[in-house]
């Protein structure tokens, strides 16, 4: 890889460039709180004149540096500062400065004032300052934020933002972050094409989306019966030992292991009760499964191996001291973490929490998701079907999948194909929900209502993902909320939801590091694919005669055939590198089980 200014950067770097007097710092002072509010940690690198001071004469750190400390590092529990003497000719080396930022701890680096360097930038412009545009000389300018009085040249293809619209600029920055990939940028010059869009791989698409998702911040507590499908916000720490007492794993007899031929029977203990007193050597009690072991006993023999006669009991076979006994805290000790924060609560987790007496777990708030369908041809299923129309399937597959993901759904119905209606629906959706999902209207051939409406309200990219089905996908931020514009075809909607929306919603819901579960199955028929594209084929996986998991397709893979999703129990995931699948080849399958 060529060594360029940003080739070592692990997070997006965006320059903010303008002539002095335009208000770079003023904007940054408003932008930083807005980016923080959206959960982003930001580093700022600022260019300064050669002998700037951050320290004051009289302070120890100042005096120590003046006395000759070549590097002066001062730290407290809240803050640290490193001052280094590094005289260079001309401008400071930005690459070196960027390397000093702790990139593990930030999501974004903003660079103020290295106007001439080869990094992507946002240009700020105010007509009253009376300076020329930077973008006409710099192909790395990504957008221009200016005042109303600014007149852009007619051939300017950059997005225009208002320099006073902090939210709009924050939307743009989040869009920029989502598009960013850690590669060397093209050098300055006319050959640089910063708007070139290649097809994204499925993995790249998911990574870009996840980079923009922030988990919800609010928690609430709910009763266990209300917590199915929700995500724990705090570790579940066991307040008790499980089991609470050392107890018997069998119906049988408890005693202290020792060299006795038979034992004197001194009592009987049932689950939920205790034997009073301590067993002496040679004594035994009859004991039920789960009943606490009496003091003095350490071993249980099952009833089937015992013979009782005249108040005494003897056993067949060898006895191992300690056998058939469950120790207190053996399953979960008091104080141990039984479930980690970020765990989604399913049936087993509900049971486990209940078994610890944690009836009121602290949960993350459910993400709220607004959905609507688009298209004049789309009819609500409650209405009679109009000529040349189709019933709306997508809102219902979406509702089903969102419910499985524990989301709160705001159903905005079907929005007709006109820009004003679309703008109104998108505005309401973004105001009321954390995520907005639409279906239809994002393909190349579609009327442009959605695209125009989206361009007005947010920063949305139209991605071509190298996958089938479900290629067109619009994604970005809309008034600070996440937006997914899914394709119209019902199967494509479900597949794109599974692959792209699901990981985003799981992260937002607080689920830690979710990954789809993929398992290998043997293909029983040839499956078509093409290198460079991920194929999601609807499949039916079942155990074959040889005891191995096998998978066949549901047949025709048209992306409108919703019945094939009903027949299928998995997606067969044929990766980009594979051009063909023959019978007997192992393929990955992603079971529907966790979503449908
Ligand atoms: P579009 O992406 O809008 O061009 O839609 C692609 C195909 O999906 C068209 O045949 C649409 O009629 C169909 N479609 C769009 N929205 C829905 C919906 N909500 N339910 C069922 N089919 C739809
Ligand atoms: Mg349409």
């Amino acid at each position: 890889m060529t060594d360029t200014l940003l080739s070592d950067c692990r997070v997006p770097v965006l320059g903010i460039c303008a002539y002095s007097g335009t208000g770079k710092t003023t904007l940054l002072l408003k932008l930083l709180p807005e980016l923080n509010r959206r959960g982003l940690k930001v580093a700022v690198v600022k260019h300064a004149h050669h002998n700037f001071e951050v320290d004051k004469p009289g302070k120890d750190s100042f005096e120590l540096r003046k006395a000759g400390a070549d590097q002066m590092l001062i730290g407290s529990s809240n803050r640290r500062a490193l001052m280094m003497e590094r005289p260079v000719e001309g401008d400071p080396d930005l690459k070196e400065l960027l390397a000093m930022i702790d990139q593990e701890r930030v999501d974004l680096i903003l660079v103020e004032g290295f106007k001439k360097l080869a990094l992507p930038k946002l240009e700020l412009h105010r007509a009253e300052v009376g300076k020329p545009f930077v973008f006409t000389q710099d192909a790395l300018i990504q957008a221009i934020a200016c005042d109303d009085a600014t007149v852009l040249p007619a051939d300017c293809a950059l997005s225009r933002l208002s320099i006073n619209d902090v939210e709009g600029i924050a939307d743009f920055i989040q869009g920029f972050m989502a598009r960013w990939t850690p590669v060397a940028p093209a050098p300055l010059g006319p050959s640089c094409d910063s708007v070139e869009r290649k097809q994204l791989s499925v993995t790249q698409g998911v990574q870009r989306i996840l980079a923009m998702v922030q988990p919800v911040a609010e928690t609430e507590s709910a009763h266990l019966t209300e917590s199915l499908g929700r995500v724990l916000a705090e570790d579940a720490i066991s307040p008790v030992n499980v089991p609470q007492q050392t107890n018997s794993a069998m119906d049988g007899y408890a005693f202290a292991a020792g060299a006795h031929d038979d034992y004197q029977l001194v009592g009987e203990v049932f689950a939920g009760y205790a034997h009073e007193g301590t067993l002496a050597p040679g004594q035994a009690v009859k004991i039920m499964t789960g009943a606490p072991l009496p003091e003095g006993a350490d071993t249980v023999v099952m009833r089937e191996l015992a013979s009782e006669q005249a108040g005494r009991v003897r056993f067949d076979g060898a006895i191992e001291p300690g056998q058939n006994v469950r120790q207190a805290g053996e399953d979960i000790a008091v104080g141990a973490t039984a479930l980690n924060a970020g765990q989604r609560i399913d049936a087993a987790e509900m049971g486990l929490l209940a078994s610890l007496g944690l009836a009121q777990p602290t949960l993350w708030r459910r993400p709220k998701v607004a959905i609507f369908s688009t298209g004049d041809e789309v009819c609500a299923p409650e209405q009679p079907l109009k000529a040349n129309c189709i019933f709306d399937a997508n809102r219902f597959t979406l509702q089903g999948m969102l419910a499985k993901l524990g989301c709160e759904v705001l159903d905005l119905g079907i929005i007709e194909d006109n820009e004003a209606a679309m703008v109104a629906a998108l505005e309401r959706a973004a105001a009321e929900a954390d995520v907005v999902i639409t279906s239809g209207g994002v393909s190349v051939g579609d009327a442009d209502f959605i695209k125009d409406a989206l361009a007005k309200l947010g920063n949305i990219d139209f991605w071509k993902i190298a996958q089938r089905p479900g290629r067109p996908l619009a994604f970005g931020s809309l008034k600070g909320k996440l937006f997914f514009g899914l394709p119209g075809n019902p199967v494509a909607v479900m597949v794109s939801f599974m692959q792209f929306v699901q990981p985003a919603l799981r992260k937002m819901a607080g689920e830690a590091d979710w990954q789809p579960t993929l398992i290998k199955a043997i293909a029983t028929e040839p499956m078509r694919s093409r290198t460079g594209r991920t194929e999601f084929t609807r499949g039916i996986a079942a155990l074959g005669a040889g005891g191995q998991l096998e998978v066949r397709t549901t047949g025709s893979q048209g992306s409108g055939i919703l019945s094939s999703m009903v027949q299928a129990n998995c997606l067969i995931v044929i990766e980009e590198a594979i051009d063909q699948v023959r019978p007997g080849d192992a393929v990955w399958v992603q079971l529907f089980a966790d979503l449908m």
Side-chain angles (χ1 to χ4, degrees), residues 219-227 230-236 239 345 349-350 353-364:
T219 63
E220 56 201 31
S221 113
H223 191 268
L224 257 188
T225 48
E226 306 292 308
S227 64
R230 302 196 47 184
V231 180
L232 269 186
E234 290 172 358
D235 289 349
I345 300 177
E349 288 77 14
M350 274 177 84
L353 291 169
S355 76
L356 304 178
L358 300 175
Q360 199 77 25
T362 303
L363 307 169
W364 292 114

PDB file of all heavy atoms in Angstrom, residues 219-227 230-236 239 345 349-350 353-364:
ATOM      1  N   THR A 219     -32.251   2.907  30.249  1.00  0.00           N
ATOM      2  CA  THR A 219     -32.627   1.591  30.767  1.00  0.00           C
ATOM      3  C   THR A 219     -33.969   1.705  31.462  1.00  0.00           C
ATOM      4  O   THR A 219     -34.429   2.799  31.789  1.00  0.00           O
ATOM      5  CB  THR A 219     -31.602   1.090  31.801  1.00  0.00           C
ATOM      6  OG1 THR A 219     -31.602   1.995  32.909  1.00  0.00           O
ATOM      7  CG2 THR A 219     -30.209   1.027  31.217  1.00  0.00           C
ATOM      8  N   GLU A 220     -34.595   0.558  31.674  1.00  0.00           N
ATOM      9  CA  GLU A 220     -35.826   0.538  32.456  1.00  0.00           C
ATOM     10  C   GLU A 220     -35.896  -0.833  33.114  1.00  0.00           C
ATOM     11  O   GLU A 220     -35.202  -1.761  32.701  1.00  0.00           O
ATOM     12  CB  GLU A 220     -37.049   0.793  31.567  1.00  0.00           C
ATOM     13  CG  GLU A 220     -37.173  -0.162  30.409  1.00  0.00           C
ATOM     14  CD  GLU A 220     -38.058   0.396  29.283  1.00  0.00           C
ATOM     15  OE1 GLU A 220     -38.092   1.619  29.093  1.00  0.00           O
ATOM     16  OE2 GLU A 220     -38.708  -0.421  28.621  1.00  0.00           O
ATOM     17  N   SER A 221     -36.716  -0.919  34.141  1.00  0.00           N
ATOM     18  CA  SER A 221     -36.790  -2.234  34.752  1.00  0.00           C
ATOM     19  C   SER A 221     -38.178  -2.786  34.494  1.00  0.00           C
ATOM     20  O   SER A 221     -39.161  -2.055  34.432  1.00  0.00           O
ATOM     21  CB  SER A 221     -36.413  -2.136  36.222  1.00  0.00           C
ATOM     22  OG  SER A 221     -37.500  -2.403  37.017  1.00  0.00           O
ATOM     23  N   ALA A 222     -38.240  -4.074  34.230  1.00  0.00           N
ATOM     24  CA  ALA A 222     -39.521  -4.686  33.894  1.00  0.00           C
ATOM     25  C   ALA A 222     -39.604  -6.017  34.609  1.00  0.00           C
ATOM     26  O   ALA A 222     -38.581  -6.598  34.983  1.00  0.00           O
ATOM     27  CB  ALA A 222     -39.623  -4.908  32.393  1.00  0.00           C
ATOM     28  N   HIS A 223     -40.838  -6.489  34.820  1.00  0.00           N
ATOM     29  CA  HIS A 223     -40.973  -7.805  35.430  1.00  0.00           C
ATOM     30  C   HIS A 223     -40.502  -8.854  34.424  1.00  0.00           C
ATOM     31  O   HIS A 223     -40.574  -8.661  33.221  1.00  0.00           O
ATOM     32  CB  HIS A 223     -42.422  -8.066  35.837  1.00  0.00           C
ATOM     33  CG  HIS A 223     -42.538  -9.300  36.693  1.00  0.00           C
ATOM     34  ND1 HIS A 223     -42.789 -10.541  36.155  1.00  0.00           N
ATOM     35  CD2 HIS A 223     -42.376  -9.480  38.020  1.00  0.00           C
ATOM     36  CE1 HIS A 223     -42.778 -11.433  37.145  1.00  0.00           C
ATOM     37  NE2 HIS A 223     -42.535 -10.805  38.279  1.00  0.00           N
ATOM     38  N   LEU A 224     -40.007  -9.985  34.955  1.00  0.00           N
ATOM     39  CA  LEU A 224     -39.518 -11.069  34.104  1.00  0.00           C
ATOM     40  C   LEU A 224     -40.501 -11.457  33.009  1.00  0.00           C
ATOM     41  O   LEU A 224     -40.105 -11.695  31.875  1.00  0.00           O
ATOM     42  CB  LEU A 224     -39.308 -12.320  34.982  1.00  0.00           C
ATOM     43  CG  LEU A 224     -37.891 -12.670  35.377  1.00  0.00           C
ATOM     44  CD1 LEU A 224     -37.909 -14.017  36.060  1.00  0.00           C
ATOM     45  CD2 LEU A 224     -36.994 -12.713  34.143  1.00  0.00           C
ATOM     46  N   THR A 225     -41.782 -11.508  33.345  1.00  0.00           N
ATOM     47  CA  THR A 225     -42.767 -11.952  32.356  1.00  0.00           C
ATOM     48  C   THR A 225     -42.857 -10.975  31.184  1.00  0.00           C
ATOM     49  O   THR A 225     -43.352 -11.321  30.128  1.00  0.00           O
ATOM     50  CB  THR A 225     -44.158 -12.118  32.982  1.00  0.00           C
ATOM     51  OG1 THR A 225     -44.422 -10.932  33.742  1.00  0.00           O
ATOM     52  CG2 THR A 225     -44.229 -13.309  33.895  1.00  0.00           C
ATOM     53  N   GLU A 226     -42.361  -9.755  31.366  1.00  0.00           N
ATOM     54  CA  GLU A 226     -42.389  -8.757  30.288  1.00  0.00           C
ATOM     55  C   GLU A 226     -41.042  -8.688  29.579  1.00  0.00           C
ATOM     56  O   GLU A 226     -40.837  -7.815  28.734  1.00  0.00           O
ATOM     57  CB  GLU A 226     -42.668  -7.357  30.857  1.00  0.00           C
ATOM     58  CG  GLU A 226     -43.908  -7.251  31.715  1.00  0.00           C
ATOM     59  CD  GLU A 226     -45.152  -7.426  30.884  1.00  0.00           C
ATOM     60  OE1 GLU A 226     -45.268  -6.717  29.877  1.00  0.00           O
ATOM     61  OE2 GLU A 226     -45.979  -8.291  31.220  1.00  0.00           O
ATOM     62  N   SER A 227     -40.108  -9.540  29.958  1.00  0.00           N
ATOM     63  CA  SER A 227     -38.746  -9.316  29.483  1.00  0.00           C
ATOM     64  C   SER A 227     -38.314 -10.257  28.370  1.00  0.00           C
ATOM     65  O   SER A 227     -37.201 -10.143  27.866  1.00  0.00           O
ATOM     66  CB  SER A 227     -37.765  -9.390  30.662  1.00  0.00           C
ATOM     67  OG  SER A 227     -37.796 -10.689  31.193  1.00  0.00           O
ATOM     68  N   ARG A 230     -36.022  -9.213  25.277  1.00  0.00           N
ATOM     69  CA  ARG A 230     -35.380  -7.928  25.543  1.00  0.00           C
ATOM     70  C   ARG A 230     -33.948  -8.147  26.002  1.00  0.00           C
ATOM     71  O   ARG A 230     -33.506  -9.273  26.178  1.00  0.00           O
ATOM     72  CB  ARG A 230     -36.206  -7.155  26.565  1.00  0.00           C
ATOM     73  CG  ARG A 230     -37.638  -6.963  26.022  1.00  0.00           C
ATOM     74  CD  ARG A 230     -38.386  -5.924  26.750  1.00  0.00           C
ATOM     75  NE  ARG A 230     -37.603  -4.711  26.929  1.00  0.00           N
ATOM     76  CZ  ARG A 230     -38.027  -3.669  27.604  1.00  0.00           C
ATOM     77  NH1 ARG A 230     -39.212  -3.686  28.156  1.00  0.00           N
ATOM     78  NH2 ARG A 230     -37.275  -2.594  27.742  1.00  0.00           N
ATOM     79  N   VAL A 231     -33.197  -7.050  26.163  1.00  0.00           N
ATOM     80  CA  VAL A 231     -31.763  -7.195  26.387  1.00  0.00           C
ATOM     81  C   VAL A 231     -31.387  -6.666  27.771  1.00  0.00           C
ATOM     82  O   VAL A 231     -31.772  -5.554  28.147  1.00  0.00           O
ATOM     83  CB  VAL A 231     -30.974  -6.450  25.288  1.00  0.00           C
ATOM     84  CG1 VAL A 231     -29.479  -6.587  25.506  1.00  0.00           C
ATOM     85  CG2 VAL A 231     -31.353  -6.998  23.916  1.00  0.00           C
ATOM     86  N   LEU A 232     -30.638  -7.465  28.504  1.00  0.00           N
ATOM     87  CA  LEU A 232     -30.195  -7.088  29.851  1.00  0.00           C
ATOM     88  C   LEU A 232     -29.250  -5.891  29.787  1.00  0.00           C
ATOM     89  O   LEU A 232     -28.300  -5.895  29.001  1.00  0.00           O
ATOM     90  CB  LEU A 232     -29.398  -8.223  30.481  1.00  0.00           C
ATOM     91  CG  LEU A 232     -30.096  -9.279  31.306  1.00  0.00           C
ATOM     92  CD1 LEU A 232     -29.038 -10.186  31.913  1.00  0.00           C
ATOM     93  CD2 LEU A 232     -30.958  -8.658  32.395  1.00  0.00           C
ATOM     94  N   ALA A 233     -29.496  -4.892  30.632  1.00  0.00           N
ATOM     95  CA  ALA A 233     -28.627  -3.715  30.652  1.00  0.00           C
ATOM     96  C   ALA A 233     -27.552  -3.824  31.727  1.00  0.00           C
ATOM     97  O   ALA A 233     -26.577  -3.078  31.708  1.00  0.00           O
ATOM     98  CB  ALA A 233     -29.460  -2.460  30.866  1.00  0.00           C
ATOM     99  N   GLU A 234     -27.734  -4.727  32.672  1.00  0.00           N
ATOM    100  CA  GLU A 234     -26.734  -4.906  33.737  1.00  0.00           C
ATOM    101  C   GLU A 234     -26.428  -6.384  33.883  1.00  0.00           C
ATOM    102  O   GLU A 234     -27.286  -7.222  33.613  1.00  0.00           O
ATOM    103  CB  GLU A 234     -27.298  -4.390  35.074  1.00  0.00           C
ATOM    104  CG  GLU A 234     -27.433  -2.890  35.125  1.00  0.00           C
ATOM    105  CD  GLU A 234     -28.174  -2.415  36.365  1.00  0.00           C
ATOM    106  OE1 GLU A 234     -28.608  -3.267  37.172  1.00  0.00           O
ATOM    107  OE2 GLU A 234     -28.322  -1.192  36.512  1.00  0.00           O
ATOM    108  N   ASP A 235     -25.219  -6.675  34.327  1.00  0.00           N
ATOM    109  CA  ASP A 235     -24.898  -8.067  34.629  1.00  0.00           C
ATOM    110  C   ASP A 235     -25.883  -8.576  35.669  1.00  0.00           C
ATOM    111  O   ASP A 235     -26.240  -7.845  36.596  1.00  0.00           O
ATOM    112  CB  ASP A 235     -23.484  -8.184  35.227  1.00  0.00           C
ATOM    113  CG  ASP A 235     -22.400  -7.923  34.189  1.00  0.00           C
ATOM    114  OD1 ASP A 235     -22.723  -7.861  32.988  1.00  0.00           O
ATOM    115  OD2 ASP A 235     -21.231  -7.782  34.597  1.00  0.00           O
ATOM    116  N   ALA A 236     -26.320  -9.817  35.511  1.00  0.00           N
ATOM    117  CA  ALA A 236     -27.175 -10.424  36.536  1.00  0.00           C
ATOM    118  C   ALA A 236     -26.260 -11.124  37.527  1.00  0.00           C
ATOM    119  O   ALA A 236     -25.642 -12.141  37.214  1.00  0.00           O
ATOM    120  CB  ALA A 236     -28.155 -11.402  35.905  1.00  0.00           C
ATOM    121  N   PRO A 239     -27.654 -13.325  43.796  1.00  0.00           N
ATOM    122  CA  PRO A 239     -27.709 -12.997  45.226  1.00  0.00           C
ATOM    123  C   PRO A 239     -27.736 -14.264  46.092  1.00  0.00           C
ATOM    124  O   PRO A 239     -27.719 -14.155  47.314  1.00  0.00           O
ATOM    125  CB  PRO A 239     -29.029 -12.232  45.362  1.00  0.00           C
ATOM    126  CG  PRO A 239     -29.873 -12.704  44.227  1.00  0.00           C
ATOM    127  CD  PRO A 239     -28.976 -13.229  43.147  1.00  0.00           C
ATOM    128  N   ILE A 345     -32.772 -11.898  26.374  1.00  0.00           N
ATOM    129  CA  ILE A 345     -33.449 -12.835  27.275  1.00  0.00           C
ATOM    130  C   ILE A 345     -34.397 -13.729  26.492  1.00  0.00           C
ATOM    131  O   ILE A 345     -35.359 -13.269  25.891  1.00  0.00           O
ATOM    132  CB  ILE A 345     -34.215 -12.063  28.370  1.00  0.00           C
ATOM    133  CG1 ILE A 345     -33.211 -11.214  29.162  1.00  0.00           C
ATOM    134  CG2 ILE A 345     -34.970 -13.017  29.271  1.00  0.00           C
ATOM    135  CD1 ILE A 345     -33.862 -10.351  30.210  1.00  0.00           C
ATOM    136  N   GLU A 349     -32.906 -17.942  29.631  1.00  0.00           N
ATOM    137  CA  GLU A 349     -32.454 -16.816  30.458  1.00  0.00           C
ATOM    138  C   GLU A 349     -33.557 -16.403  31.428  1.00  0.00           C
ATOM    139  O   GLU A 349     -33.278 -16.039  32.573  1.00  0.00           O
ATOM    140  CB  GLU A 349     -32.056 -15.627  29.574  1.00  0.00           C
ATOM    141  CG  GLU A 349     -30.759 -15.813  28.791  1.00  0.00           C
ATOM    142  CD  GLU A 349     -30.888 -16.705  27.580  1.00  0.00           C
ATOM    143  OE1 GLU A 349     -32.047 -16.984  27.166  1.00  0.00           O
ATOM    144  OE2 GLU A 349     -29.856 -17.146  27.046  1.00  0.00           O
ATOM    145  N   MET A 350     -34.822 -16.449  30.956  1.00  0.00           N
ATOM    146  CA  MET A 350     -35.932 -16.121  31.869  1.00  0.00           C
ATOM    147  C   MET A 350     -35.920 -17.064  33.055  1.00  0.00           C
ATOM    148  O   MET A 350     -36.047 -16.653  34.208  1.00  0.00           O
ATOM    149  CB  MET A 350     -37.283 -16.243  31.145  1.00  0.00           C
ATOM    150  CG  MET A 350     -37.682 -14.995  30.413  1.00  0.00           C
ATOM    151  SD  MET A 350     -39.221 -15.228  29.506  1.00  0.00           S
ATOM    152  CE  MET A 350     -40.423 -14.912  30.778  1.00  0.00           C
ATOM    153  N   LEU A 353     -32.888 -16.343  35.413  1.00  0.00           N
ATOM    154  CA  LEU A 353     -33.092 -15.155  36.258  1.00  0.00           C
ATOM    155  C   LEU A 353     -34.084 -15.478  37.368  1.00  0.00           C
ATOM    156  O   LEU A 353     -33.886 -15.117  38.531  1.00  0.00           O
ATOM    157  CB  LEU A 353     -33.591 -13.974  35.419  1.00  0.00           C
ATOM    158  CG  LEU A 353     -32.558 -13.384  34.444  1.00  0.00           C
ATOM    159  CD1 LEU A 353     -33.225 -12.412  33.479  1.00  0.00           C
ATOM    160  CD2 LEU A 353     -31.441 -12.689  35.211  1.00  0.00           C
ATOM    161  N   ALA A 354     -35.150 -16.184  37.000  1.00  0.00           N
ATOM    162  CA  ALA A 354     -36.145 -16.560  38.009  1.00  0.00           C
ATOM    163  C   ALA A 354     -35.502 -17.437  39.070  1.00  0.00           C
ATOM    164  O   ALA A 354     -35.758 -17.274  40.270  1.00  0.00           O
ATOM    165  CB  ALA A 354     -37.320 -17.281  37.346  1.00  0.00           C
ATOM    166  N   SER A 355     -34.613 -18.349  38.649  1.00  0.00           N
ATOM    167  CA  SER A 355     -34.000 -19.284  39.609  1.00  0.00           C
ATOM    168  C   SER A 355     -33.103 -18.544  40.597  1.00  0.00           C
ATOM    169  O   SER A 355     -32.730 -19.085  41.629  1.00  0.00           O
ATOM    170  CB  SER A 355     -33.209 -20.362  38.873  1.00  0.00           C
ATOM    171  OG  SER A 355     -31.985 -19.832  38.393  1.00  0.00           O
ATOM    172  N   LEU A 356     -32.743 -17.298  40.276  1.00  0.00           N
ATOM    173  CA  LEU A 356     -31.910 -16.510  41.192  1.00  0.00           C
ATOM    174  C   LEU A 356     -32.750 -15.521  41.985  1.00  0.00           C
ATOM    175  O   LEU A 356     -32.222 -14.717  42.762  1.00  0.00           O
ATOM    176  CB  LEU A 356     -30.851 -15.740  40.394  1.00  0.00           C
ATOM    177  CG  LEU A 356     -29.965 -16.607  39.499  1.00  0.00           C
ATOM    178  CD1 LEU A 356     -28.991 -15.755  38.720  1.00  0.00           C
ATOM    179  CD2 LEU A 356     -29.220 -17.635  40.328  1.00  0.00           C
ATOM    180  N   GLY A 357     -34.048 -15.514  41.736  1.00  0.00           N
ATOM    181  CA  GLY A 357     -34.920 -14.569  42.416  1.00  0.00           C
ATOM    182  C   GLY A 357     -34.817 -13.166  41.848  1.00  0.00           C
ATOM    183  O   GLY A 357     -35.197 -12.197  42.498  1.00  0.00           O
ATOM    184  N   LEU A 358     -34.289 -13.044  40.605  1.00  0.00           N
ATOM    185  CA  LEU A 358     -34.161 -11.709  39.984  1.00  0.00           C
ATOM    186  C   LEU A 358     -35.386 -11.469  39.106  1.00  0.00           C
ATOM    187  O   LEU A 358     -35.343 -11.631  37.898  1.00  0.00           O
ATOM    188  CB  LEU A 358     -32.872 -11.631  39.168  1.00  0.00           C
ATOM    189  CG  LEU A 358     -31.588 -11.859  39.985  1.00  0.00           C
ATOM    190  CD1 LEU A 358     -30.362 -11.898  39.084  1.00  0.00           C
ATOM    191  CD2 LEU A 358     -31.444 -10.751  41.029  1.00  0.00           C
ATOM    192  N   ALA A 359     -36.487 -11.091  39.740  1.00  0.00           N
ATOM    193  CA  ALA A 359     -37.763 -11.016  39.035  1.00  0.00           C
ATOM    194  C   ALA A 359     -37.948  -9.702  38.297  1.00  0.00           C
ATOM    195  O   ALA A 359     -38.860  -9.543  37.507  1.00  0.00           O
ATOM    196  CB  ALA A 359     -38.909 -11.203  40.017  1.00  0.00           C
ATOM    197  N   GLN A 360     -37.060  -8.737  38.537  1.00  0.00           N
ATOM    198  CA  GLN A 360     -37.250  -7.388  37.987  1.00  0.00           C
ATOM    199  C   GLN A 360     -35.933  -6.931  37.339  1.00  0.00           C
ATOM    200  O   GLN A 360     -35.283  -6.019  37.840  1.00  0.00           O
ATOM    201  CB  GLN A 360     -37.657  -6.462  39.152  1.00  0.00           C
ATOM    202  CG  GLN A 360     -38.310  -5.164  38.789  1.00  0.00           C
ATOM    203  CD  GLN A 360     -39.764  -5.288  38.382  1.00  0.00           C
ATOM    204  OE1 GLN A 360     -40.461  -6.225  38.769  1.00  0.00           O
ATOM    205  NE2 GLN A 360     -40.217  -4.345  37.572  1.00  0.00           N
ATOM    206  N   PRO A 361     -35.512  -7.585  36.245  1.00  0.00           N
ATOM    207  CA  PRO A 361     -34.205  -7.241  35.680  1.00  0.00           C
ATOM    208  C   PRO A 361     -34.187  -5.834  35.072  1.00  0.00           C
ATOM    209  O   PRO A 361     -35.231  -5.316  34.686  1.00  0.00           O
ATOM    210  CB  PRO A 361     -33.992  -8.297  34.588  1.00  0.00           C
ATOM    211  CG  PRO A 361     -35.354  -8.775  34.235  1.00  0.00           C
ATOM    212  CD  PRO A 361     -36.181  -8.658  35.488  1.00  0.00           C
ATOM    213  N   THR A 362     -32.991  -5.226  35.031  1.00  0.00           N
ATOM    214  CA  THR A 362     -32.816  -3.925  34.376  1.00  0.00           C
ATOM    215  C   THR A 362     -32.504  -4.167  32.900  1.00  0.00           C
ATOM    216  O   THR A 362     -31.568  -4.880  32.559  1.00  0.00           O
ATOM    217  CB  THR A 362     -31.668  -3.157  35.041  1.00  0.00           C
ATOM    218  OG1 THR A 362     -31.979  -3.030  36.423  1.00  0.00           O
ATOM    219  CG2 THR A 362     -31.501  -1.765  34.431  1.00  0.00           C
ATOM    220  N   LEU A 363     -33.326  -3.563  32.040  1.00  0.00           N
ATOM    221  CA  LEU A 363     -33.246  -3.832  30.602  1.00  0.00           C
ATOM    222  C   LEU A 363     -32.950  -2.542  29.861  1.00  0.00           C
ATOM    223  O   LEU A 363     -33.263  -1.444  30.336  1.00  0.00           O
ATOM    224  CB  LEU A 363     -34.591  -4.370  30.106  1.00  0.00           C
ATOM    225  CG  LEU A 363     -35.134  -5.576  30.876  1.00  0.00           C
ATOM    226  CD1 LEU A 363     -36.569  -5.840  30.478  1.00  0.00           C
ATOM    227  CD2 LEU A 363     -34.272  -6.800  30.609  1.00  0.00           C
ATOM    228  N   TRP A 364     -32.370  -2.675  28.657  1.00  0.00           N
ATOM    229  CA  TRP A 364     -32.265  -1.512  27.786  1.00  0.00           C
ATOM    230  C   TRP A 364     -33.649  -1.186  27.253  1.00  0.00           C
ATOM    231  O   TRP A 364     -34.459  -2.083  27.009  1.00  0.00           O
ATOM    232  CB  TRP A 364     -31.323  -1.781  26.619  1.00  0.00           C
ATOM    233  CG  TRP A 364     -29.888  -1.933  27.037  1.00  0.00           C
ATOM    234  CD1 TRP A 364     -29.125  -3.056  26.964  1.00  0.00           C
ATOM    235  CD2 TRP A 364     -29.043  -0.901  27.578  1.00  0.00           C
ATOM    236  NE1 TRP A 364     -27.863  -2.794  27.435  1.00  0.00           N
ATOM    237  CE2 TRP A 364     -27.790  -1.489  27.828  1.00  0.00           C
ATOM    238  CE3 TRP A 364     -29.240   0.442  27.891  1.00  0.00           C
ATOM    239  CZ2 TRP A 364     -26.729  -0.771  28.370  1.00  0.00           C
ATOM    240  CZ3 TRP A 364     -28.185   1.147  28.431  1.00  0.00           C
ATOM    241  CH2 TRP A 364     -26.946   0.550  28.663  1.00  0.00           C
TER     242      TRP A 364
END
